[in-house]
Amino acid sequence: MERKNIDWGSLGFGYVQTDYRYVSNYKDGAWDAGCLTDQATVTMSECACVLQYAQTCFEGMKAYTTQDGRIVCFRPDLNAKRMADSCRRLKMPVFPEDRFVEAVVETVRANAAWVPPFGSGASLYIRPFMFGSDAIIGVKPATEFQFRVFATPVGPYFKGGIKPLTVRISDFDRAAPRGTGHVKAGLNYAMSLYAIVDAHEQGYDENVYLDSATRTYIEETGGANIVFVKGNTLVTPKSSTILPSITRRSLVQVAKDYLGMEVEEREIPLTEIGEFTECGLCGTAAVISPVGKIVDHGKETVYAGFGPTIQKLYDTLTGIQMGRIPAPEGWIQVIE
């Protein structure tokens, strides 16, 4: 397999159209067989449910070239389960989890020439998504859906290297109790756009959201879960409105099993953030990004940035993904 002639080191985190994507349609109560296609455009009614009522959900993961030359994907079974949970909450038909993983494998394999080489700092980002496709004018779920998977090569999420982030406590709410904060619905991200643009205009990298019921507990940011370090303990917020990040769950296991740390998943009062020494934001795109400062309406809490524990968590998880460190059983899906 000959790779595409790309300057991998110059890639940003953006969309590059690749050769193939996977498509399956749901109609009359069943999914069709699905197939790969070279057509990158989607044609639908102007009254499609996704355009009127945002009935859509998505996932995100990466494929890598490991140190020994294999192309692998990291824990796609968990993405399949999370999308199934999102679909149930949004009244969308579940795409079978085994078929989800197969679709990801097929898409990556068909675009193998686009997978960046080991050591380039780049990867192949994979985006499975589903949307209601038939014309719906009354407020109700669609009856026809399309599931798609495309892939695009991306560079590091933070161009020029990872730098400690400055984030703010947001005045906006991200999710409400018994709402959709725990599923990866497109509407959740649409609702966060105003807040993130405002944060950037004010000189901050991200928003940290509090629980909307009491506004006293740390929840997560607009695009990532948040973790804290206190001594030899990793502390992560626990809430029914937080998206269950696959990267966060993996870091929790890495902390316990590889680094011998204690882990606490619990409510974290805003008043406690000054007691931690390190803080990080975790997600697929950047794995874990160090936070240098949290600003709460002028009051600054400063952390160690890329402190020793955040560094070890990052090095260990990326080492597992890239094949430098043995992975727990089931974490690595080999493509070829």
Side-chain angles (χ1 to χ4, degrees):
M1 182 272 299
E2 185 175 347
R3 284 191 170 88
K4 299 289 183 178
N5 185 21
I6 294 175
D7 181 3
W8 305 105
S10 68
L11 282 174
F13 200 85
Y15 175 74
V16 176
Q17 183 177 318
T18 53
D19 297 328
Y20 297 99
R21 63 276 312 137
Y22 181 93
V23 180
S24 181
N25 291 292
Y26 181 92
K27 188 175 182 178
D28 299 327
W31 289 102
D32 66 15
C35 65
L36 292 171
T37 177
D38 60 1
Q39 297 299 306
T41 57
V42 177
T43 301
M44 70 181 80
S45 167
E46 64 184 351
C47 195
C49 191
V50 64
L51 301 178
Q52 306 306 315
Y53 304 120
Q55 194 179 19
T56 181
C57 61
F58 69 97
E59 281 296 324
M61 67 195 83
K62 289 181 178 180
Y64 314 84
T65 302
T66 61
Q67 191 168 9
D68 60 4
R70 298 177 299 161
I71 295 175
V72 305
C73 188
F74 185 69
R75 309 191 78 177
D77 57 317
L78 294 189
N79 292 95
K81 182 183 184 306
R82 189 168 64 181
M83 176 169 266
D85 292 339
S86 296
C87 288
R88 293 185 186 100
R89 179 63 178 82
L90 298 173
K91 297 303 292 182
M92 303 171 74
V94 170
F95 194 73
E97 294 181 32
D98 57 340
R99 287 190 59 190
F100 177 105
V101 175
E102 290 169 6
V104 168
V105 170
E106 283 188 45
T107 304
V108 175
R109 187 173 289 143
N111 293 294
W114 295 90
V115 181
F118 174 79
S120 64
S123 57
L124 188 72
Y125 186 82
I126 307 156
R127 172 53 61 83
F129 63 108
M130 187 191 299
F131 56 89
S133 55
D134 58 327
I136 298 291
I137 196 65
V139 181
K140 60 182 181 179
T143 62
E144 297 177 11
F145 297 83
Q146 187 166 104
F147 170 80
R148 297 177 71 95
V149 183
F150 69 80
T152 182
V154 297
Y157 191 71
F158 295 103
K159 198 70 175 174
I162 300 175
K163 300 174 183 177
L165 306 176
T166 297
V167 300
R168 71 173 183 183
I169 300 297
S170 179
D171 289 327
F172 300 99
D173 291 331
R174 178 190 165 272
R178 295 176 294 280
T180 59
H182 63 295
V183 301
K184 206 165 176 67
L187 60 92
N188 290 345
Y189 293 80
M191 296 297 285
S192 73
L193 296 178
Y194 181 91
I196 190 60
V197 170
D198 183 69
H200 289 165
E201 289 175 348
Q202 300 300 321
Y204 300 99
D205 295 299
E206 250 291 12
N207 292 289
V208 176
Y209 293 99
L210 305 178
D211 73 292
S212 60
T214 72
R215 295 196 55 80
T216 58
Y217 296 104
I218 296 289
E219 292 235 312
E220 61 179 327
T221 70
N225 281 187
I226 190 167
V227 298
F228 295 93
V229 176
K230 181 187 293 187
N232 193 45
T233 302
L234 184 71
V235 185
T236 72
K238 184 177 183 179
S239 167
S240 62
T241 61
I242 291 176
L243 185 73
S245 164
I246 292 163
T247 303
R248 182 193 59 80
R249 283 180 278 175
S250 301
L251 287 169
V252 163
Q253 191 166 339
V254 163
K256 290 178 181 176
D257 298 344
Y258 286 74
L259 304 183
M261 297 181 65
E262 299 294 323
V263 174
E264 295 178 359
E265 298 182 61
R266 59 172 173 82
E267 291 182 332
I268 301 176
L270 175 60
T271 55
E272 190 182 352
I273 63 173
E275 299 178 19
F276 301 109
T277 56
E278 298 177 52
C279 176
L281 307 186
C282 55
T284 299
V287 183
I288 185 166
S289 306
V291 171
K293 186 186 300 182
I294 295 179
V295 181
D296 180 10
H297 301 86
K299 179 183 178 182
E300 297 184 354
T301 301
V302 178
Y303 300 100
F306 231 131
T309 301
I310 296 293
Q311 182 74 61
K312 284 188 288 186
L313 287 166
Y314 177 85
D315 291 343
T316 305
L317 187 56
T318 55
I320 290 169
Q321 292 172 335
M322 293 297 178
R324 295 189 297 267
I325 298 173
E329 184 176 355
W331 278 28
I332 303 298
Q333 172 74 52
V334 177
I335 309 296
E336 62 176 38

